[in-house]
Amino acid sequence: MARIVIAGSMNIDILSTMKRAPRAGETVNGDTVAFMPGGKGLNQAVAAAQLGGEVAFVGRLGRDAFGDQVVAFFQEKGIDTGRIVRSATQPTANAIIFVDGTAENYIVVIPAANGETSPEDVAAVAIAPGDVLVSQFEIPRATIAAFFRRGRVAGARTVLNAAPALDDAPADLWLDTDILVVNETELGHFAGTSVAADAPVAQVADAARRLLRRDGQTVVATLGARGAVAVAAGGEVLVPGRPVKAVDTTGAGDCFVGALAARLAAGDALPDAMRYANVAASIAVTRVGTGTAMPTTEEVAAAFAAA
């Protein structure tokens, strides 16, 4: 199996559940609050590791108790923490997450140490042919661009989760991305068009084609409960959703990306990896939390067996 190298964000999430989120100027009572490891990079790493991947992580934490908690969590999951740098100037990042009674989430991220993750950090990690490199937009774009440039030169496969969709990215980063993973909102942002959550799959696929920059690229659009669609120059593949009772959708996209990377590293073709990732994500949304909600190989196998 190839190795998975993830350059990304690590947070301690402050997650509160409530019947409904407050409107501007309003106070509501919450039901629960919890402090737990999170961040898109962390979530994807944990999902990949729990689904059989050999995972190494590149990123930055503060020299604080939250940072200690993240390192211990990674080590418990068998993730290589040798390239995690402890910042001398910034604390560990946080995300403040509200989850309402419909399982919708509202998130504010304080990047802190994540924003210091540098091209020098990714230059220090070994990359071999066939490795799967993963990143997201919660660390600086220039760092991701340097990471993927090294990956393509080394013969690795690059997977970019372009989330959150706050602005655009360097042109060379798009060119060095082999598989781009976005949800409907992110797809619409980067394609310069509106893509509704219930947009027809044909419309989603048309928007995804706008993001292809070279031969050999694939854009995967996740569609929530409807599944996911992959678009490449040679055509498209639709993977239907798996109906479940969702209680928290916060980490669903991260679970999908981590599971996708694990199966690509194991040698699966992209459609098979997408089917596996879709089932894994459907399990994650049945639990409250992000990094702590990622399923295991046994749970995904059981879901396939029950289908």
Side-chain angles (χ1 to χ4, degrees), residues 259-303:
L260 186 77
R263 295 316 306 167
L264 292 174
D268 281 7
L270 181 61
D272 293 331
M274 288 174 59
R275 280 186 278 272
Y276 188 96
N278 189 66
V279 171
S282 75
I283 297 170
V285 301
T286 65
R287 304 164 177 167
V288 174
T290 53
T292 55
M294 302 301 155
T296 64
T297 52
E298 293 78 12
E299 290 172 320
V300 177

Side-chain angles (χ1 to χ4, degrees), residues 8 15 27 49 59 62 68 92 154 163 194 198 266 273 303:
L15 188 150
T27 299
D68 294 342
T92 298
S194 177
D198 59 351

Side-chain angles (χ1 to χ4, degrees), residues 36-160:
M36 59 187 68
K40 296 189 74 61
L42 180 149
N43 298 339
Q44 292 168 15
V46 171
Q50 292 194 168
L51 296 171
E54 178 187 347
V55 181
F57 201 92
V58 183
R60 294 209 178 198
L61 294 166
R63 296 180 182 177
D64 49 32
F66 281 162
D68 294 342
Q69 184 179 343
V70 170
V71 170
F73 184 66
F74 269 169
Q75 292 174 342
E76 175 191 332
K77 302 299 182 183
I79 295 168
D80 181 354
T81 60
R83 295 301 177 187
I84 293 177
V85 176
R86 305 298 289 268
S87 172
T89 60
Q90 289 288 335
T92 298
N94 292 113
I96 302 168
I97 305 171
F98 293 165
V99 180
D100 68 18
T102 69
E104 286 297 323
N105 56 74
Y106 309 80
I107 305 173
V108 177
V109 175
I110 300 90
N114 288 330
E116 289 188 343
T117 308
S118 71
E120 290 73 25
D121 294 344
V122 297
V125 65
I127 300 172
D131 284 349
V132 177
L133 275 52
V134 181
S135 197
Q136 334 75 31
F137 278 175
E138 289 187 334
I139 61 173
R141 308 290 198 273
T143 300
I144 306 170
F147 183 45
F148 279 15
R149 190 176 311 119
R150 285 196 65 217
R152 289 203 69 208
V153 169
R157 198 171 192 180
T158 56
V159 180
L160 176 63

Side-chain angles (χ1 to χ4, degrees), residues 8-34:
S9 56
M10 300 168 283
N11 306 337
I12 290 297
D13 292 346
I14 305 167
L15 188 150
S16 178
T17 62
M18 60 208 67
K19 292 179 178 60
R20 67 173 180 84
R23 294 183 286 268
E26 181 185 28
T27 299
V28 300
N29 286 330
D31 297 323
T32 65
V33 66

